[in-house]
Amino acid sequence: ALRNRRLLMKAVQQALTMSHLEETVPGEAAGRAVLNVVVVDAPTMAELNETHLGHSGPTDVLTFDLRDTGPLEADDEWVVGEVYVCLDVAVRAAATYTTSVGYEVLLYASHGMLHLAGEDDRVDRDRRRMRSAERRIMTRLQAAWPLVELFGY
């Protein structure tokens, strides 16, 4: 379970800035852009994965670009997207890679943000560039925040 929501929000904000996603927000939506990062369990992630991608079982992260190109009303929020992160997958990965659950959750969230910022990982060259961006973000987050405190393990 999440132990430090405030720390998670600060780290996600820093990852958001470093992903350059904010730079993709049009001027009229500046200050009103919203990104939802949702932490889910394995059954929920498996259902999302099956429904939206036709894949069975849970995955680490799913990203949905929800940007609307229509006109904004004066007080409308501009939803950029949603990033779904699977906590159960993060717990297993933390044990496998000897990281923390907080590290894995933020890595997956950063991965989703990078996709929304226009990065892709389908071909080797793009995948290498995206992994490099992930390493840059995670190195900074690890230096700035005690990520193990997010979930306590």
Side-chain angles (χ1 to χ4, degrees):
L2 180 62
R3 288 181 47 191
N4 194 331
R5 185 177 192 280
R6 188 166 159 244
L7 174 60
L8 179 61
M9 297 298 290
K10 287 180 178 184
V12 165
Q13 181 60 48
Q14 185 174 357
L16 178 63
T17 300
M18 294 180 66
S19 73
H20 302 290
L21 177 56
E22 293 172 317
E23 296 167 17
T24 70
V25 174
E28 68 271 14
R32 297 186 286 160
V34 175
L35 171 68
N36 296 312
V37 177
V38 184
V39 179
V40 298
D41 61 12
T44 302
M45 183 60 92
E47 182 179 330
L48 289 167
N49 202 17
E50 176 70 33
T51 300
H52 296 283
L53 297 179
H55 300 159
S56 62
T59 188
D60 51 1
V61 60
L62 287 173
T63 304
F64 300 97
D65 190 333
L66 302 176
R67 286 175 264 219
D68 186 359
T69 56
L72 281 177
E73 297 297 322
D75 59 348
D76 281 351
E77 290 182 334
W78 194 71
V79 180
V80 174
E82 293 183 339
V83 177
Y84 288 82
V85 172
C86 185
L87 183 59
D88 296 326
V89 170
V91 168
R92 286 192 299 274
T96 300
Y97 301 115
T98 61
T99 59
S100 69
V101 174
Y103 177 93
E104 294 297 326
V105 165
L106 285 166
L107 174 63
Y108 305 161
S110 298
H111 183 88
M113 290 177 212
L114 288 166
H115 273 301
L116 289 170
E119 295 292 338
D120 198 0
D121 58 357
R122 288 185 221 167
V123 298
D124 285 341
R125 179 178 48 87
D126 293 341
R127 188 176 307 111
R128 284 191 301 272
R129 189 169 97 185
M130 192 165 187
R131 296 296 178 261
S132 176
E134 289 171 353
R135 281 190 301 275
R136 177 180 50 82
I137 292 169
M138 293 311 299
T139 297
R140 293 272 302 276
L141 293 180
Q142 282 184 295
W145 310 104
L147 301 183
V148 72
E149 291 181 13
L150 290 173
F151 295 90
Y153 54 100

